[in-house]
Coordinates of all heavy atoms in Angstrom, one line a residue:
M268 N 0.8 -1.2 0.0 CA 0.0 0.0 0.0 C 0.9 1.3 0.0 O 1.8 1.3 0.7 CB -0.9 0.0 1.2 CG -2.1 0.9 1.1 SD -3.3 0.7 2.4 CE -2.8 2.0 3.5
K269 N 0.5 2.2 -0.8 CA 1.3 3.4 -0.9 C 0.8 4.4 0.2 O -0.3 4.6 0.4 CB 1.1 4.1 -2.3 CG 2.0 3.4 -3.3 CD 1.9 4.1 -4.7 CE 2.7 3.3 -5.7 NZ 2.3 3.8 -7.1
T270 N 1.8 5.0 0.8 CA 1.5 6.0 1.8 C 1.8 7.4 1.2 O 2.9 7.7 0.7 CB 2.4 5.8 3.0 OG1 2.4 4.4 3.3 CG2 1.9 6.5 4.2
A271 N 0.9 8.3 1.4 CA 1.1 9.7 0.9 C 2.2 10.3 1.7 O 2.3 10.1 2.9 CB -0.2 10.5 1.0
G272 N 3.0 11.1 1.0 CA 4.0 11.9 1.7 C 5.3 11.1 2.0 O 6.2 11.6 2.6
S273 N 5.4 9.9 1.5 CA 6.6 9.1 1.8 C 7.6 9.2 0.7 O 8.7 8.5 0.7 CB 6.3 7.6 2.0 OG 5.8 7.1 0.8
K274 N 7.3 10.0 -0.3 CA 8.2 10.1 -1.5 C 9.5 10.7 -1.1 O 9.6 11.7 -0.5 CB 7.6 10.9 -2.6 CG 7.7 10.3 -3.9 CD 7.5 11.3 -5.0 CE 6.0 11.4 -5.5 NZ 5.8 12.4 -6.4
K275 N 10.6 10.0 -1.4 CA 11.9 10.5 -1.1 C 12.5 11.3 -2.3 O 12.2 10.9 -3.4 CB 12.9 9.3 -0.8 CG 12.7 8.8 0.6 CD 13.9 7.8 0.9 CE 13.8 7.4 2.4 NZ 14.9 6.6 2.7
P276 N 13.3 12.3 -2.0 CA 13.9 13.0 -3.1 C 14.9 12.1 -3.9 O 15.7 11.5 -3.2 CB 14.5 14.2 -2.5 CG 14.7 13.9 -1.1 CD 13.6 12.9 -0.7
L277 N 14.8 12.1 -5.2 CA 15.7 11.3 -6.0 C 16.9 12.1 -6.5 O 16.7 13.3 -6.7 CB 14.9 10.7 -7.2 CG 13.8 9.7 -6.8 CD1 13.2 9.2 -8.1 CD2 14.4 8.5 -6.1
R278 N 18.0 11.4 -6.6 CA 19.2 12.0 -7.2 C 19.7 11.1 -8.3 O 19.4 9.9 -8.3 CB 20.3 12.2 -6.1 CG 19.9 13.2 -5.0 CD 19.8 14.6 -5.5 NE 19.4 15.6 -4.5 CZ 18.1 15.9 -4.3 NH1 17.1 15.4 -4.9 NH2 17.9 16.8 -3.3
T279 N 20.6 11.7 -9.1 CA 21.1 10.9 -10.2 C 22.6 11.0 -10.2 O 23.2 12.0 -10.0 CB 20.7 11.5 -11.6 OG1 19.2 11.6 -11.6 CG2 21.1 10.7 -12.7
C280 N 23.3 9.8 -10.3 CA 24.7 9.7 -10.3 C 25.3 10.3 -11.6 O 24.8 10.0 -12.7 CB 25.1 8.3 -10.2 SG 26.9 8.0 -10.3
V281 N 26.3 11.2 -11.5 CA 26.8 11.8 -12.7 C 27.6 10.8 -13.6 O 28.0 11.1 -14.7 CB 27.6 13.1 -12.5 CG1 26.8 14.1 -11.8 CG2 28.9 12.8 -11.6
V282 N 28.0 9.7 -13.0 CA 28.8 8.7 -13.7 C 27.9 7.6 -14.4 O 28.0 7.4 -15.6 CB 29.8 8.0 -12.8 CG1 30.5 6.9 -13.5 CG2 30.8 9.0 -12.3
C283 N 27.1 6.9 -13.6 CA 26.4 5.8 -14.2 C 24.9 6.1 -14.5 O 24.2 5.3 -15.1 CB 26.5 4.6 -13.3 SG 25.6 4.8 -11.7
G284 N 24.4 7.3 -14.0 CA 23.1 7.7 -14.3 C 22.0 7.0 -13.5 O 20.8 7.1 -13.8
R285 N 22.4 6.3 -12.4 CA 21.5 5.6 -11.6 C 20.6 6.6 -10.8 O 21.1 7.7 -10.3 CB 22.2 4.7 -10.6 CG 21.4 3.8 -9.8 CD 22.2 2.8 -9.0 NE 22.9 3.4 -7.9 CZ 22.6 3.3 -6.6 NH1 21.5 2.6 -6.3 NH2 23.3 3.8 -5.7
N286 N 19.3 6.4 -10.7 CA 18.4 7.2 -9.9 C 18.1 6.5 -8.6 O 17.7 5.3 -8.7 CB 17.1 7.4 -10.7 CG 17.1 8.6 -11.6 OD1 17.3 9.7 -11.1 ND2 17.0 8.3 -12.9
D287 N 18.2 7.2 -7.5 CA 17.9 6.5 -6.3 C 17.7 7.6 -5.2 O 17.8 8.8 -5.5 CB 19.1 5.6 -5.9 CG 18.5 4.4 -5.1 OD1 17.5 4.5 -4.4 OD2 19.2 3.4 -5.1
A288 N 17.3 7.1 -4.0 CA 17.0 8.1 -2.9 C 18.3 8.8 -2.6 O 19.4 8.2 -2.7 CB 16.5 7.3 -1.7
K289 N 18.2 10.0 -2.2 CA 19.3 10.9 -1.9 C 20.3 10.3 -1.0 O 21.5 10.6 -1.1 CB 18.6 12.1 -1.2 CG 19.4 13.3 -1.0 CD 18.5 14.4 -0.5 CE 19.2 15.7 -0.1 NZ 19.8 15.6 1.2
D290 N 19.9 9.5 0.0 CA 20.9 9.0 1.0 C 21.7 7.8 0.5 O 22.6 7.3 1.2 CB 20.2 8.6 2.3 CG 18.9 7.7 2.1 OD1 18.6 7.4 0.9 OD2 18.3 7.3 3.1
H291 N 21.6 7.5 -0.8 CA 22.5 6.5 -1.4 C 23.6 7.2 -2.2 O 24.4 6.5 -2.9 CB 21.8 5.5 -2.3 CG 20.8 4.6 -1.6 ND1 19.5 4.6 -1.9 CD2 21.1 3.8 -0.6 CE1 18.9 3.7 -1.0 NE2 19.9 3.2 -0.2
F292 N 23.7 8.5 -2.1 CA 24.7 9.2 -2.9 C 25.6 10.1 -2.0 O 25.2 10.4 -0.9 CB 23.9 10.2 -3.9 CG 23.2 9.4 -4.9 CD1 21.9 9.1 -4.8 CD2 23.8 9.0 -6.1 CE1 21.2 8.4 -5.7 CE2 23.1 8.3 -7.1 CZ 21.8 8.0 -6.9
V293 N 26.7 10.4 -2.6 CA 27.6 11.3 -1.9 C 27.6 12.6 -2.8 O 27.7 12.5 -4.0 CB 29.1 10.8 -1.8 CG1 30.0 11.8 -1.2 CG2 29.1 9.5 -1.0
R294 N 27.4 13.7 -2.1 CA 27.3 15.0 -2.9 C 28.7 15.7 -2.9 O 29.4 15.7 -1.9 CB 26.3 15.9 -2.2 CG 26.0 17.2 -3.0 CD 24.8 17.9 -2.4 NE 24.5 19.1 -3.1 CZ 24.8 20.3 -2.7 NH1 25.4 20.5 -1.6 NH2 24.5 21.4 -3.5
F295 N 29.0 16.2 -4.0 CA 30.2 17.1 -4.1 C 29.7 18.4 -4.5 O 28.7 18.6 -5.2 CB 31.1 16.6 -5.3 CG 31.7 15.2 -5.0 CD1 31.1 14.1 -5.3 CD2 33.0 15.2 -4.4 CE1 31.6 12.8 -5.0 CE2 33.6 13.9 -4.1 CZ 32.9 12.8 -4.4
V296 N 30.4 19.4 -3.9 CA 29.9 20.8 -4.1 C 31.1 21.7 -4.5 O 32.2 21.5 -3.9 CB 29.1 21.3 -2.9 CG1 30.0 21.5 -1.7 CG2 28.4 22.6 -3.2
R297 N 30.9 22.6 -5.4 CA 31.9 23.6 -5.7 C 31.7 24.9 -4.9 O 30.6 25.5 -5.0 CB 31.8 23.9 -7.2 CG 33.1 24.7 -7.7 CD 32.9 25.1 -9.1 NE 32.0 26.3 -9.2 CZ 31.6 26.8 -10.4 NH1 32.1 26.3 -11.5 NH2 30.8 27.8 -10.4
K298 N 32.7 25.2 -4.1 CA 32.5 26.4 -3.3 C 33.8 27.2 -3.4 O 34.9 26.8 -3.2 CB 32.4 25.9 -1.8 CG 31.8 26.8 -0.9 CD 31.5 26.2 0.5 CE 30.8 27.2 1.4 NZ 31.8 27.8 2.3
D299 N 33.6 28.5 -3.8 CA 34.7 29.4 -4.1 C 35.8 28.8 -5.0 O 36.9 28.9 -4.7 CB 35.3 29.8 -2.7 CG 34.3 30.4 -1.8 OD1 33.4 31.1 -2.3 OD2 34.4 30.2 -0.6
G300 N 35.3 28.1 -6.0 CA 36.3 27.6 -7.0 C 37.0 26.3 -6.5 O 37.8 25.8 -7.2
V301 N 36.6 25.8 -5.4 CA 37.2 24.5 -4.9 C 36.1 23.5 -4.8 O 35.0 23.8 -4.2 CB 37.9 24.7 -3.5 CG1 38.5 23.4 -3.0 CG2 38.9 25.8 -3.6
V302 N 36.4 22.2 -5.2 CA 35.4 21.2 -5.1 C 35.7 20.4 -3.8 O 36.8 20.0 -3.6 CB 35.4 20.2 -6.3 CG1 34.5 19.1 -6.1 CG2 35.0 21.0 -7.6
V303 N 34.7 20.2 -3.0 CA 34.8 19.4 -1.8 C 33.7 18.4 -1.7 O 32.6 18.5 -2.3 CB 34.8 20.3 -0.5 CG1 36.0 21.3 -0.5 CG2 33.5 21.2 -0.5
C304 N 33.9 17.4 -0.8 CA 32.9 16.4 -0.5 C 31.9 17.1 0.5 O 32.4 17.6 1.5 CB 33.5 15.2 0.2 SG 33.6 13.8 -0.9
D305 N 30.6 17.0 0.2 CA 29.7 17.6 1.1 C 29.0 16.5 1.9 O 28.0 15.9 1.5 CB 28.6 18.3 0.2 CG 27.5 18.9 1.1 OD1 27.7 19.0 2.3 OD2 26.5 19.2 0.5
A306 N 29.6 16.2 3.1 CA 29.1 15.1 3.9 C 27.7 15.4 4.4 O 26.9 14.5 4.6 CB 30.0 14.9 5.1
S307 N 27.3 16.7 4.7 CA 26.0 17.0 5.1 C 24.9 16.9 4.0 O 23.8 16.7 4.3 CB 25.9 18.4 5.7 OG 26.0 19.3 4.7
G308 N 25.4 17.0 2.8 CA 24.5 17.0 1.6 C 23.7 18.3 1.5 O 22.8 18.4 0.7
R309 N 24.0 19.3 2.3 CA 23.2 20.5 2.4 C 24.0 21.8 2.1 O 23.5 22.9 2.2 CB 22.5 20.7 3.7 CG 21.3 19.8 3.8 CD 20.6 20.0 5.1 NE 21.3 19.5 6.3 CZ 21.1 18.3 6.7 NH1 20.3 17.5 6.2 NH2 21.8 17.9 7.8
A310 N 25.3 21.7 1.8 CA 26.1 22.8 1.6 C 25.6 23.6 0.3 O 25.2 23.0 -0.6 CB 27.6 22.4 1.3
A311 N 25.8 24.9 0.4 CA 25.3 25.8 -0.7 C 26.3 25.7 -1.8 O 27.5 25.4 -1.6 CB 25.2 27.2 -0.2
G312 N 25.8 25.8 -3.0 CA 26.7 25.8 -4.2 C 26.3 24.8 -5.2 O 25.3 24.1 -5.0
R313 N 27.0 24.8 -6.3 CA 26.7 23.9 -7.4 C 27.1 22.5 -7.0 O 28.2 22.2 -6.6 CB 27.5 24.3 -8.6 CG 27.1 23.5 -9.9 CD 27.9 23.9 -11.0 NE 27.5 23.1 -12.2 CZ 26.6 23.5 -13.0 NH1 26.0 24.6 -12.9 NH2 26.2 22.7 -14.0
G314 N 26.2 21.5 -7.0 CA 26.4 20.2 -6.5 C 26.4 19.1 -7.6 O 25.8 19.3 -8.7
A315 N 27.0 18.0 -7.4 CA 27.0 16.8 -8.2 C 26.9 15.6 -7.3 O 27.5 15.6 -6.3 CB 28.2 16.8 -9.2
Y316 N 26.2 14.6 -7.8 CA 26.1 13.4 -7.0 C 26.7 12.2 -7.6 O 26.7 12.0 -8.8 CB 24.6 13.1 -6.8 CG 23.9 14.1 -5.9 CD1 23.3 15.2 -6.5 CD2 23.7 13.9 -4.6 CE1 22.7 16.2 -5.8 CE2 23.1 14.9 -3.8 CZ 22.6 16.0 -4.4 OH 22.0 17.0 -3.6
L317 N 27.3 11.4 -6.7 CA 27.9 10.1 -7.1 C 27.3 9.0 -6.2 O 27.1 9.3 -5.0 CB 29.4 10.1 -6.9 CG 30.3 10.8 -7.9 CD1 31.8 10.5 -7.5 CD2 30.1 10.2 -9.3
C318 N 27.1 7.8 -6.8 CA 26.7 6.7 -5.9 C 27.8 6.5 -4.8 O 28.9 6.8 -5.1 CB 26.7 5.4 -6.7 SG 25.6 5.4 -8.1
A319 N 27.4 6.1 -3.7 CA 28.3 5.8 -2.6 C 29.0 4.5 -2.9 O 29.0 3.6 -2.1 CB 27.6 5.8 -1.3
E320 N 29.7 4.4 -4.0 CA 30.4 3.2 -4.5 C 31.8 3.7 -5.0 O 31.8 4.6 -5.8 CB 29.7 2.6 -5.7 CG 28.2 2.3 -5.5 CD 28.0 1.0 -4.8 OE1 28.9 0.2 -4.7 OE2 26.8 0.7 -4.4
E321 N 32.8 3.0 -4.5 CA 34.1 3.4 -5.0 C 34.3 3.3 -6.5 O 34.9 4.1 -7.1 CB 35.2 2.4 -4.3 CG 35.9 3.1 -3.1 CD 35.1 2.8 -1.8 OE1 34.0 2.2 -1.9 OE2 35.5 3.3 -0.8
A322 N 33.5 2.3 -7.1 CA 33.6 2.1 -8.6 C 33.2 3.4 -9.3 O 33.8 3.8 -10.3 CB 32.8 0.9 -9.0
C323 N 32.1 4.0 -8.8 CA 31.7 5.2 -9.5 C 32.6 6.4 -9.3 O 32.9 7.2 -10.2 CB 30.3 5.6 -9.0 SG 29.0 4.7 -9.8
F324 N 33.3 6.5 -8.1 CA 34.3 7.5 -8.0 C 35.5 7.3 -8.9 O 36.0 8.2 -9.5 CB 34.7 7.6 -6.5 CG 35.7 8.8 -6.3 CD1 35.2 10.1 -6.1 CD2 37.0 8.6 -6.4 CE1 36.0 11.1 -6.0 CE2 37.9 9.7 -6.3 CZ 37.4 11.0 -6.1
E325 N 35.9 6.1 -9.0 CA 37.0 5.8 -9.8 C 36.8 6.1 -11.3 O 37.6 6.7 -12.0 CB 37.4 4.3 -9.7 CG 38.3 4.0 -8.5 CD 38.4 2.5 -8.3 OE1 38.3 1.7 -9.2 OE2 38.6 2.1 -7.1
L326 N 35.6 5.8 -11.7 CA 35.2 6.2 -13.1 C 35.1 7.7 -13.3 O 35.5 8.2 -14.3 CB 33.8 5.6 -13.5 CG 33.8 4.3 -14.3 CD1 32.4 3.9 -14.6 CD2 34.6 4.5 -15.6
A327 N 34.6 8.4 -12.2 CA 34.5 9.8 -12.3 C 35.9 10.4 -12.4 O 36.1 11.4 -13.2 CB 33.8 10.3 -11.1
A328 N 36.8 9.9 -11.7 CA 38.2 10.4 -11.7 C 38.8 10.1 -13.1 O 39.5 10.9 -13.7 CB 39.0 9.7 -10.6
K329 N 38.6 8.9 -13.6 CA 39.2 8.5 -14.9 C 38.7 9.3 -16.0 O 39.4 9.7 -16.9 CB 38.9 7.0 -15.1 CG 39.9 6.3 -16.0 CD 39.5 4.9 -16.3 CE 39.8 4.0 -15.1 NZ 39.3 2.6 -15.3
K330 N 37.4 9.6 -16.0 CA 36.7 10.3 -17.1 C 36.6 11.8 -16.9 O 36.1 12.5 -17.7 CB 35.3 9.7 -17.4 CG 35.4 8.2 -17.8 CD 34.1 7.8 -18.2 CE 34.2 6.4 -18.8 NZ 32.9 5.9 -19.5
G331 N 37.0 12.2 -15.7 CA 36.9 13.7 -15.4 C 35.5 14.2 -15.3 O 35.2 15.3 -15.6
R332 N 34.6 13.3 -14.9 CA 33.2 13.6 -14.9 C 32.8 14.6 -13.8 O 31.9 15.5 -14.1 CB 32.3 12.3 -14.6 CG 32.1 11.5 -15.8 CD 31.2 12.1 -16.8 NE 31.1 11.4 -18.0 CZ 30.4 10.3 -18.2 NH1 29.7 9.8 -17.2 NH2 30.5 9.6 -19.4
L333 N 33.4 14.5 -12.7 CA 33.1 15.5 -11.6 C 33.4 16.9 -12.0 O 32.6 17.8 -11.8 CB 33.8 15.1 -10.3 CG 33.1 14.3 -9.3 CD1 34.0 14.2 -8.0 CD2 31.7 14.9 -8.9
G334 N 34.6 17.1 -12.5 CA 35.1 18.4 -12.9 C 34.1 19.0 -14.0 O 33.8 20.2 -13.9
R335 N 33.7 18.1 -14.9 CA 32.8 18.6 -15.9 C 31.4 19.0 -15.4 O 30.9 20.0 -15.7 CB 32.6 17.5 -17.0 CG 32.4 18.1 -18.4 CD 32.4 17.0 -19.5 NE 33.6 16.2 -19.4 CZ 33.6 14.9 -19.8 NH1 32.5 14.3 -20.3 NH2 34.7 14.2 -19.7
S336 N 30.9 18.1 -14.5 CA 29.6 18.4 -13.9 C 29.6 19.7 -13.1 O 28.6 20.4 -13.1 CB 29.1 17.3 -13.0 OG 28.9 16.1 -13.8
L337 N 30.7 19.9 -12.4 CA 30.8 21.1 -11.6 C 31.4 22.3 -12.2 O 31.5 23.3 -11.6 CB 31.6 20.7 -10.3 CG 30.9 19.7 -9.4 CD1 31.9 19.1 -8.4 CD2 29.7 20.2 -8.7
K338 N 31.7 22.1 -13.5 CA 32.4 23.2 -14.3 C 33.6 23.8 -13.6 O 33.7 25.0 -13.4 CB 31.3 24.3 -14.6 CG 30.1 23.8 -15.3 CD 29.6 24.8 -16.3 CE 28.2 24.4 -16.9 NZ 28.2 23.0 -17.4
C339 N 34.4 22.9 -13.1 CA 35.6 23.2 -12.4 C 36.7 22.2 -12.7 O 36.5 21.0 -12.3 CB 35.3 23.3 -10.9 SG 36.6 23.7 -9.8
P340 N 37.7 22.6 -13.4 CA 38.7 21.6 -13.7 C 39.4 21.0 -12.5 O 39.8 21.7 -11.6 CB 39.8 22.3 -14.6 CG 39.4 23.7 -14.5 CD 38.1 23.9 -13.8
L341 N 39.5 19.7 -12.4 CA 40.1 19.0 -11.3 C 41.4 18.2 -11.7 O 41.4 17.5 -12.7 CB 39.1 18.0 -10.7 CG 37.9 18.6 -10.1 CD1 36.9 17.5 -9.7 CD2 38.2 19.4 -8.8
S342 N 42.4 18.4 -10.9 CA 43.7 17.7 -11.2 C 43.6 16.3 -10.6 O 42.7 16.0 -9.8 CB 44.8 18.5 -10.6 OG 44.7 18.5 -9.2
A343 N 44.7 15.5 -10.9 CA 44.8 14.2 -10.3 C 44.9 14.3 -8.7 O 44.3 13.5 -8.0 CB 46.0 13.4 -10.8
E344 N 45.6 15.4 -8.3 CA 45.7 15.6 -6.8 C 44.3 15.9 -6.2 O 44.0 15.4 -5.1 CB 46.6 16.8 -6.5 CG 48.1 16.4 -6.7 CD 48.5 16.5 -8.2 OE1 47.8 17.1 -9.0 OE2 49.5 15.8 -8.5
D345 N 43.5 16.7 -6.9 CA 42.2 17.0 -6.5 C 41.4 15.7 -6.3 O 40.7 15.5 -5.3 CB 41.4 17.9 -7.4 CG 42.0 19.3 -7.4 OD1 42.4 19.8 -6.3 OD2 42.0 20.0 -8.5
Y346 N 41.5 14.8 -7.3 CA 40.7 13.6 -7.2 C 41.2 12.7 -6.1 O 40.4 12.0 -5.5 CB 40.7 12.9 -8.6 CG 39.7 13.4 -9.6 CD1 40.1 14.0 -10.7 CD2 38.3 13.1 -9.3 CE1 39.1 14.5 -11.6 CE2 37.4 13.6 -10.2 CZ 37.8 14.3 -11.3 OH 36.8 14.7 -12.2
Q347 N 42.5 12.8 -5.9 CA 43.0 12.0 -4.8 C 42.5 12.4 -3.4 O 42.0 11.7 -2.6 CB 44.5 12.0 -4.8 CG 45.1 11.2 -3.6 CD 46.5 10.7 -3.9 OE1 47.1 11.1 -4.9 NE2 47.0 9.8 -3.1
R348 N 42.5 13.8 -3.3 CA 42.0 14.4 -2.0 C 40.5 14.1 -1.9 O 40.0 13.7 -0.8 CB 42.2 15.9 -2.1 CG 41.5 16.7 -1.1 CD 41.9 18.2 -1.2 NE 41.5 18.8 -2.5 CZ 40.3 19.3 -2.8 NH1 39.4 19.2 -1.9 NH2 40.0 19.8 -4.0
L349 N 39.7 14.2 -2.9 CA 38.3 14.0 -2.9 C 38.0 12.5 -2.6 O 37.1 12.1 -1.9 CB 37.6 14.4 -4.2 CG 37.6 15.9 -4.4 CD1 37.1 16.3 -5.8 CD2 36.7 16.6 -3.4
G350 N 38.8 11.6 -3.2 CA 38.7 10.2 -3.1 C 38.8 9.8 -1.6 O 38.0 8.9 -1.2
E351 N 39.7 10.4 -0.9 CA 39.8 10.0 0.5 C 38.6 10.4 1.3 O 38.1 9.7 2.1 CB 41.1 10.7 1.1 CG 42.3 10.0 0.7 CD 43.6 10.8 0.9 OE1 43.6 11.7 1.7 OE2 44.6 10.5 0.3
A352 N 38.1 11.7 1.1 CA 36.9 12.1 1.8 C 35.7 11.3 1.4 O 34.9 10.9 2.2 CB 36.6 13.6 1.4
F353 N 35.7 10.9 0.1 CA 34.6 10.1 -0.4 C 34.5 8.7 0.3 O 33.5 8.3 0.7 CB 34.8 9.9 -1.9 CG 33.7 9.1 -2.6 CD1 32.5 9.6 -3.0 CD2 34.0 7.7 -2.9 CE1 31.6 8.8 -3.6 CE2 33.1 6.9 -3.5 CZ 31.9 7.5 -3.9
S354 N 35.7 8.1 0.4 CA 35.8 6.8 1.1 C 35.3 6.9 2.5 O 34.6 6.0 3.0 CB 37.2 6.3 1.1 OG 37.6 6.0 -0.2
N355 N 35.6 8.0 3.2 CA 35.2 8.1 4.6 C 33.7 8.2 4.7 O 33.0 7.6 5.5 CB 35.8 9.4 5.2 CG 37.3 9.2 5.5 OD1 37.7 8.1 5.7 ND2 38.0 10.3 5.6
I356 N 33.1 9.0 3.7 CA 31.6 9.2 3.8 C 31.0 7.8 3.4 O 30.0 7.5 4.1 CB 31.2 10.3 2.8 CG1 31.8 11.6 3.3 CG2 29.7 10.3 2.7 CD1 31.5 12.8 2.3
C357 N 31.5 7.1 2.5 CA 31.0 5.8 2.1 C 30.9 4.9 3.3 O 30.0 4.2 3.6 CB 31.8 5.1 1.0 SG 31.5 5.8 -0.6
Q358 N 32.0 4.9 4.1 CA 32.1 4.1 5.3 C 31.0 4.4 6.3 O 30.4 3.6 6.9 CB 33.5 4.2 5.9 CG 34.5 3.1 5.5 CD 35.9 3.4 6.0 OE1 36.1 4.0 7.0 NE2 36.8 2.9 5.3
D359 N 30.9 5.8 6.5 CA 29.8 6.2 7.4 C 28.5 5.8 7.0 O 27.6 5.3 7.8 CB 29.9 7.8 7.5 CG 31.1 8.3 8.3 OD1 31.8 7.4 8.9 OD2 31.3 9.5 8.3
L360 N 28.2 5.9 5.7 CA 26.9 5.5 5.1 C 26.7 4.0 5.3 O 25.6 3.6 5.7 CB 26.8 5.8 3.6 CG 26.7 7.3 3.3 CD1 26.6 7.4 1.7 CD2 25.4 7.9 3.9
R361 N 27.7 3.2 5.1 CA 27.5 1.8 5.3 C 27.3 1.4 6.8 O 26.5 0.5 7.1 CB 28.8 1.0 4.8 CG 28.7 0.8 3.3 CD 29.8 -0.2 2.9 NE 31.1 0.3 2.8 CZ 31.6 0.8 1.7 NH1 30.9 0.8 0.6 NH2 32.8 1.3 1.6
Q362 N 27.9 2.1 7.7 CA 27.7 1.9 9.1 C 26.3 2.3 9.5 O 25.7 1.7 10.4 CB 28.8 2.6 9.9 CG 30.1 1.8 10.0 CD 31.3 2.6 10.5 OE1 31.1 3.7 10.9 NE2 32.5 2.1 10.3
A363 N 25.8 3.4 8.9 CA 24.5 3.9 9.3 C 23.4 3.0 8.8 O 22.3 3.0 9.4 CB 24.4 5.3 8.7
S364 N 23.6 2.3 7.8 CA 22.5 1.5 7.2 C 22.6 0.0 7.6 O 23.5 -0.4 8.3 CB 22.6 1.5 5.7 OG 23.7 1.0 5.2
Ligands
ZN264 ZN1 26.9 5.7 -10.0

């Protein structure tokens, strides 16, 4: 039975195009020209979503998808820094669920 008002906001992964509830994604946000992992999911700024899966992050890094989505060029060092934050958030998500 469907319950009114239980609809969750959906997000789309910029790498694989998967649609799912917001809490299955990690948000990245561009703030003052710097891209950071947005653990709260509520930071202001232009955002992009990735599945909370290492595979999607690796593809994003390989194909430069995050930089393109956020209109901010990212270097290999940037991806490395973001990858570490991303892994931490993935771990927290896994523990929470
Ligand atoms: Zn994905």
Side-chain angles (χ1 to χ4, degrees):
M268 199 170 99
K269 279 182 186 168
T270 315
S273 68
K274 224 198 268 176
K275 282 192 171 181
L277 293 179
R278 294 293 180 266
T279 306
C280 173
V281 297
V282 172
C283 68
R285 189 169 73 101
N286 270 300
D287 210 335
K289 195 171 173 276
D290 47 1
H291 292 123
F292 293 91
V293 176
R294 185 171 185 256
F295 292 85
V296 69
R297 191 185 76 184
K298 204 170 178 257
D299 304 325
V301 181
V302 175
V303 293
C304 255
D305 175 18
S307 72
R309 283 186 287 271
R313 187 186 180 89
Y316 292 86
L317 280 184
C318 302
E320 309 272 352
E321 263 85 2
C323 276
F324 185 85
E325 278 168 29
L326 262 183
K329 206 185 284 179
K330 299 189 171 189
R332 281 288 172 81
L333 262 188
R335 208 174 310 152
S336 294
L337 295 167
K338 303 215 188 314
C339 180
L341 293 172
S342 66
E344 286 78 21
D345 289 325
Y346 275 112
Q347 181 155 10
R348 168 177 60 84
L349 292 170
E351 282 165 19
F353 178 81
S354 297
N355 286 336
I356 295 176
C357 286
Q358 263 171 30
D359 289 349
L360 286 178
R361 276 195 281 267
Q362 276 162 16
S364 62

